[in-house]
Amino acid sequence: MSKFQLLIQQQMNEIIFHPYLVQSLVSLFLFWFITKWFFKPAGNKKSPPSPPKLPIVGNLHQLGSLPHRNLQALAKKHGPLMLLHLGTKPTLVVSSADAAREIMKTHDLIFADRPQSSVTRRLLYDKDVSVSPYGEYWRQLKSICVLQLLSNKRVQSFHSIREEETTLLVKKIRKSSFPVNLSEMFAELTNDVVCISTFGRKFSEGENGKKFLSLLTEFLELLGTISIGNFIPGLSWINRVNGFDARVDEVSKELDEFLEGVIRESTETPKEDKTGANFVDILLEIYQSNSSGVPIDRDSIKAIILDVFAAGTDTTSTVLEWAMTELLRHPSVMKKLQTEVREIVKDKQDITESDLEKMHYLKAVIKETLRFHTPIPLLVPRKARKDVKIMGYDVSAGTTVRGY
């Protein structure tokens, strides 16, 4: 079970056993019962298949501690397009390639928005590229990320960083005379690579570095936490009682102070003293030249930096961890992969990225790992911007769309 799944189970248990939850649900049920008399169903709309739901909680109780498995069971019964009601939030669950293609390709602009929550707004400044609403600001930020940060030329410019950090990891494993914790090593590797690419230096050592990594870990946990208030607004007060809101505010404040210090340091360091341009330098140059066409401020820079860490650290280390786990469980695959690596590397001490391009079986192993163990069990959701028809069914504006 991944960290994200454990986090979901922990949060569901906290929701189920909260001492005030029963009284709150009773009150909300009475409120629902009264307002139901004023509800008028839509006339000729054909809604997607939907399992029976309970008042107030909708289908939340059917997710359980392993939501991906329960969703799979429900999809087998109701089909590749299934409408769930998670509290007050209608959610369209997609489980087929044809349905996903219609949503993400045929009607991509209608589903370009991401659902937002108070947590993402506070942690990501309400200005990041991952959840900002579709519009000119989002298009410009996406253009900056695609052309300036994640272009093939830019990614290749950091190949020496990836090769150097991978070589250090292999040497550390070779020198160890005791069993090693690959999970910790993979996490440290991905953090170091992203830190050097983003800030120009590592943060795995030193007091400030350890504090940042601790903040980053908590930041990712908070982003992945399921809050009952997102689904049942009447229960949002639980986050204040159990201290969740206070944690979000504290992590947001400390991360802001850290990133502000990094930006200040980068602006005060002369260019001739820098080893090369990193993400922060590139973003600051765009900010100072005002060349993006939309107002990019310091908060926008911080939000993009956090997007990079959220997308490129824990997800990468999780895939590496699962790949090693599956190789250990399948010795024949491990042996075949070892043979391919040894034939290509031969007598060389270190593996380069040009070597990796020749390792076709390794690529197949990574793809199969991603197929079996996606880093995020429930894919990043989208939201319908207006009413639309998908595979013959009517989907209302504001409906959240999730795939698994």
Side-chain angles (χ1 to χ4, degrees):
M1 187 179 294
S2 69
K3 298 175 184 177
F4 190 79
Q5 290 170 315
L6 288 172
L7 197 59
I8 290 176
Q9 184 173 356
Q10 177 184 350
Q11 289 298 316
M12 290 300 295
N13 290 338
E14 182 178 336
I15 290 169
I16 291 171
F17 295 108
H18 197 282
Y20 302 106
L21 188 56
V22 175
Q23 297 92 322
S24 301
L25 288 176
V26 171
S27 301
L28 288 171
F29 174 76
L30 292 174
F31 177 76
W32 170 85
F33 186 77
I34 295 172
T35 56
K36 186 176 183 297
W37 295 101
F38 299 96
F39 174 74
K40 295 181 180 179
N44 298 320
K45 283 191 175 182
K46 183 183 178 183
S47 297
S50 179
K53 62 181 185 296
L54 294 177
I56 307 303
V57 298
N59 302 107
L60 276 174
H61 65 291
Q62 294 175 297
L63 297 183
S65 58
L66 296 174
H68 57 296
R69 293 185 180 178
N70 294 329
L71 287 174
Q72 183 182 33
L74 288 170
K76 286 181 179 179
K77 182 178 180 181
H78 298 283
L81 272 185
M82 175 176 58
L83 183 64
L84 299 181
H85 293 82
L86 305 182
T88 61
K89 304 292 183 181
T91 302
L92 187 67
V93 180
V94 182
S95 56
S96 77
D98 289 338
R101 187 181 300 109
E102 192 166 342
I103 289 170
M104 301 179 69
K105 188 175 182 179
T106 307
H107 301 290
D108 57 330
L109 290 182
I110 294 177
F111 292 98
D113 282 356
R114 305 282 193 189
Q116 293 191 359
S117 69
S118 61
V119 175
T120 57
R121 282 195 295 269
R122 283 181 286 173
L123 289 176
L124 296 172
Y125 300 89
D126 201 16
K127 292 186 175 184
D128 76 309
V129 69
S130 63
V131 295
S132 290
Y134 178 79
E136 186 60 28
Y137 178 80
W138 177 84
R139 284 195 293 269
Q140 290 298 333
L141 253 62
K142 179 185 176 183
S143 176
I144 290 172
C145 291
V146 171
L147 300 178
Q148 302 292 338
L149 303 184
L150 304 175
S151 66
N152 184 59
K153 180 179 179 181
R154 185 68 64 186
V155 171
Q156 290 304 318
S157 71
F158 293 120
H159 79 276
S160 59
I161 296 172
R162 294 189 294 273
E163 290 181 356
E164 182 179 350
E165 293 304 314
T166 303
T167 300
L168 290 174
L169 172 68
V170 173
K171 287 181 178 178
K172 190 181 295 185
I173 295 173
R174 283 175 179 166
K175 289 180 180 179
S176 177
S177 56
F178 300 97
V180 296
N181 188 329
L182 286 178
S183 298
E184 292 181 357
M185 286 186 166
F186 288 151
E188 185 175 323
L189 169 68
T190 54
N191 280 322
D192 284 345
V193 170
V194 174
C195 278
I196 297 173
S197 303
T198 305
F199 303 129
R201 60 189 176 96
K202 295 183 185 180
F203 281 93
S204 56
E205 300 175 355
E207 196 63 33
N208 288 337
K210 291 179 180 178
K211 181 180 179 182
F212 171 68
L213 293 181
S214 175
L215 280 173
L216 184 61
T217 300
E218 192 162 8
F219 164 77
L220 293 172
E221 288 180 357
L222 292 172
L223 280 182
T225 299
I226 294 179
S227 172
I228 188 63
N230 290 338
F231 304 109
I232 306 177
L235 297 180
S236 298
W237 57 269
I238 291 179
N239 290 338
R240 295 191 295 273
V241 174
N242 64 17
F244 179 77
D245 281 349
R247 281 179 61 204
V248 172
D249 291 337
E250 182 180 358
V251 170
S252 176
K253 179 182 178 183
E254 293 187 12
L255 273 176
D256 181 77
E257 291 174 354
F258 176 83
L259 293 174
E260 186 63 37
V262 169
I263 292 174
R264 191 183 311 112
E265 180 182 336
S266 184
T267 55
E268 294 173 355
T269 303
K271 288 187 177 181
E272 56 269 18
D273 295 340
K274 297 180 180 180
T275 56
N278 51 59
F279 286 175
V280 173
D281 292 332
I282 296 167
L283 292 171
L284 280 173
E285 184 177 347
I286 295 172
Y287 162 63
Q288 292 167 350
S289 64
N290 195 24
S291 59
S292 64
V294 295
I296 302 295
D297 56 18
R298 294 170 83 94
D299 284 348
S300 301
I301 295 175
K302 298 171 193 173
I304 293 176
I305 291 172
L306 290 176
D307 275 342
V308 170
F309 275 96
T313 53
D314 187 63
T315 50
T316 304
S317 61
T318 299
V319 171
L320 292 174
E321 188 176 343
W322 272 117
M324 288 303 302
T325 301
E326 291 294 352
L327 287 172
L328 291 171
R329 292 173 59 187
H330 299 85
S332 60
V333 177
M334 170 83 86
K335 186 175 181 180
K336 187 173 180 179
L337 182 58
Q338 288 173 334
T339 301
E340 180 187 65
V341 172
R342 287 166 181 160
E343 287 178 352
I344 293 174
V345 177
K346 296 181 179 179
D347 297 329
K348 293 192 298 183
Q349 288 292 319
D350 302 323
I351 299 176
T352 63
E353 290 196 359
S354 60
D355 294 327
L356 295 178
E357 289 298 320
K358 304 172 187 176
M359 298 180 187
H360 303 295
Y361 192 71
L362 173 62
K363 293 179 182 179
V365 168
I366 296 296
K367 289 179 180 178
E368 193 70 355
T369 303
L370 286 168
R371 188 172 74 87
F372 272 97
H373 308 286
T374 54
I376 305 175
L378 299 178
L379 300 183
V380 180
R382 296 168 177 256
K383 186 176 71 172
R385 303 173 67 219
K386 60 182 181 179
D387 293 348
V388 63
K389 190 177 287 289
I390 302 294
M391 298 185 72
Y393 295 108
D394 293 296
V395 178
S396 301
T399 300
T400 298
V401 180
R402 287 182 178 271
Y404 74 93

